[in-house]
Amino acid sequence: MLLSFVNMKLRDFYPSLDAFCEDAGADRKEIEDRLRGIDYEYDASRNQFV
């Protein structure tokens, strides 16, 4: 659920993970750690978790 939500927000509304986290008041490290736990990494060139 987190993966789909974050990737949708990145795709439709934000130019970067940093911009999303700043606007949403989210902790970038926590998001990355949780998604890394299911084998997803943030790819800045694609602006999504893959």
Side-chain angles (χ1 to χ4, degrees):
M1 190 80 148
L2 177 63
L3 174 65
S4 296
F5 176 77
V6 172
N7 272 345
M8 182 269 302
K9 289 292 191 178
L10 292 172
R11 180 189 68 229
D12 295 344
F13 301 106
Y14 296 98
S16 70
L17 181 57
D18 286 329
F20 166 73
C21 289
E22 183 178 324
D23 191 52
D27 184 308
R28 178 184 173 135
K29 183 179 180 336
E30 183 177 350
I31 291 172
E32 288 183 302
D33 288 348
R34 287 179 183 246
L35 293 178
R36 191 173 298 117
I38 58 169
D39 297 324
Y40 282 85
E41 294 283 337
Y42 180 64
D43 181 342
S45 66
R46 296 172 70 178
N47 192 35
Q48 67 181 9
F49 283 87
V50 293

